[in-house]
Amino acid sequence: MALDFFAGCVGGAAGVFAGHPLDTVKVRLQTQEAGKKLYKGTFHCWSTIVKQEGVFKGLYKGITPPLASLTVINATVFGVHGMVSKKFENPDSIQAHFFAGCAAGLAQSIIATPSERIKLLIQIQNDAAHTRYKSPIHAAKSLIQREGYGCLSRGFLATVLRDCPAFGIYFASYDWMARKMSKDGKMESLTTPQLLFAGGGAGMLSWLFNYPTDVIKTRFQTCNSYKSYWDVILKTYAENGWRSFFVGLNSTLLRAFPSNAATFFTVEWTYRLLIDNNILGSSTEGHSHKHNSKKQHVMMPDLWHKNWFILPEAGSTSIDPMIHGCRFI
């Protein structure tokens, strides 16, 4: 278990680092005012941020909250998903995966809401003149002092409305695509490219169906001038019609695959390095290996069954991107 947990945390962190720059781009595009548009599109936004703010100070703003909440959210999502799916007569059915995913999305929204709000407020600071918060901790303290603890839950309903269907669609579509690609219908038969494709495809589907909700949530959480969600919807639609609800979608879809690749690569090689160097002992739980001249490596089917703690890409910007292609206990 120690090996699984450590590899998963390292892999999950790698996924966050790989995907956060495009998440920052998405947030900037979603929140720019109609009459003061600084960015023409995904690539223009990326290049402008790098040129004016730098790579790390610009693209990686607000990365601390998702990293800090990684472990807690992972445990919540997979604990709830496993518990709910077992209540169904057939835990491996598409229906079971969908409703268990919805339940997991609801549960993690409690943690994701304050984490995302802090992340968003830091990400939208685009220059020194507009820098209000020095760090996530400073942002949290400032918000609480000014508005009370309740302000951290601003956007909770939108987070729930986004993440419930997002996780449901992710788990269900992932399972369906994976089984369709498998040569014998079993998950263990999938190759690494197939795992990546299934995970990336499921992540993209979950975003396509729920992206407008994310736009509404982002705007509501970053600007207190909005009185209600309906106010956000009306003002957003007035800017450019229905297209306004899909601003930044390109950067979100582009993020799925590199993030997934970084996570998978890191998880697999963390396993290999730990086991090859016998760091956690020769007989770690679930991974006993005989000593011989040929090194033993954890293969993809092993990762498939063991990584219950690593979160998939499923529409939640706070915890996204995590690993695709993990199988759940």
Side-chain angles (χ1 to χ4, degrees):
M1 181 60 72
L3 176 59
D4 297 326
F5 185 79
F6 180 75
C9 287
V10 174
V16 173
F17 276 109
H20 195 80
L22 280 170
D23 181 62
T24 299
V25 170
K26 173 187 76 76
V27 171
R28 292 286 182 89
L29 291 172
Q30 286 181 336
T31 56
Q32 61 180 345
E33 298 178 23
K36 302 178 182 179
K37 289 196 173 183
L38 301 174
Y39 315 112
K40 300 175 183 178
T42 298
F43 296 106
H44 179 254
C45 181
W46 176 289
S47 59
T48 302
I49 293 174
V50 172
K51 189 181 298 182
Q52 297 180 353
E53 304 170 51
V55 175
F56 294 103
K57 290 185 177 181
L59 294 176
Y60 281 93
K61 280 183 177 177
I63 195 172
T64 306
L67 283 176
S69 59
L70 184 69
T71 302
V72 178
I73 292 179
N74 287 350
T76 301
V77 168
F78 284 93
V80 172
H81 178 273
M83 179 178 66
V84 175
S85 62
K86 289 176 182 177
K87 299 295 183 181
F88 287 81
E89 185 176 346
N90 181 7
D92 291 327
S93 67
I94 299 297
Q95 183 183 24
H97 282 299
F98 177 78
F99 286 107
C102 289
L106 173 62
Q108 68 86 41
S109 295
I110 299 172
I111 307 167
T113 301
S115 175
E116 285 195 26
R117 189 172 189 212
I118 294 171
K119 174 187 75 75
L120 291 169
L121 290 173
I122 293 176
Q123 283 180 310
I124 61 174
Q125 299 180 144
N126 56 9
D127 55 49
H130 294 86
T131 299
R132 188 173 189 176
Y133 306 112
K134 300 175 183 179
S135 67
I137 295 178
H138 178 250
K141 288 182 177 179
S142 299
L143 287 171
I144 293 172
Q145 289 176 356
R146 190 170 63 250
E147 305 172 38
Y149 285 96
C151 70
L152 295 178
S153 64
R154 182 178 173 86
F156 174 71
L157 178 59
T159 304
V160 170
L161 292 176
R162 180 198 64 182
D163 288 351
C164 278
F167 277 97
I169 291 171
Y170 179 84
F171 280 109
S173 62
Y174 177 80
D175 190 75
W176 183 82
M177 285 189 286
R179 293 186 184 279
K180 287 293 183 181
M181 287 191 293
S182 174
K183 60 183 180 182
D184 57 4
K186 295 180 180 179
M187 296 296 190
E188 294 83 353
S189 302
L190 288 172
T191 63
T192 299
Q194 288 175 328
L195 292 174
L196 296 175
F197 182 82
M204 294 173 97
L205 280 174
S206 69
W207 272 114
L208 286 172
F209 280 97
N210 298 286
Y211 192 79
T213 308
D214 183 64
V215 173
I216 296 169
K217 183 198 76 69
T218 297
R219 293 195 170 201
F220 189 71
Q221 285 189 311
T222 56
C223 185
N224 286 339
S225 64
Y226 291 115
K227 300 176 182 178
S228 64
Y229 293 119
W230 185 244
D231 187 31
V232 178
I233 294 172
L234 291 177
K235 291 179 179 178
T236 302
Y237 184 80
E239 292 179 8
N240 194 28
W242 62 269
R243 293 180 180 84
S244 300
F245 295 99
F246 290 91
V247 173
L249 179 60
N250 289 342
S251 62
T252 301
L253 298 182
L254 285 172
R255 182 180 56 188
F257 279 92
S259 300
N260 174 65
T263 306
F264 241 109
F265 177 85
T266 306
V267 170
E268 183 172 10
W269 278 99
T270 299
Y271 264 107
R272 292 184 178 188
L273 289 172
L274 291 175
I275 292 175
D276 286 347
N277 293 284
N278 199 28
I279 293 176
L280 296 180
S282 60
S283 182
T284 304
E285 181 184 351
H287 297 286
S288 297
H289 298 277
K290 295 179 180 180
H291 291 287
N292 52 39
S293 59
K294 186 177 180 180
K295 290 186 175 182
Q296 301 293 320
H297 297 306
V298 176
M299 304 304 290
M300 292 311 299
D302 298 320
L303 297 180
W304 184 267
H305 284 289
K306 282 290 181 181
N307 292 322
W308 56 271
F309 45 81
I310 308 176
L311 201 66
E313 170 86 27
S316 178
T317 56
S318 172
I319 50 184
D320 191 38
M322 298 295 121
I323 199 167
H324 300 302
C326 55
R327 199 71 185 102
F328 321 110
I329 58 172

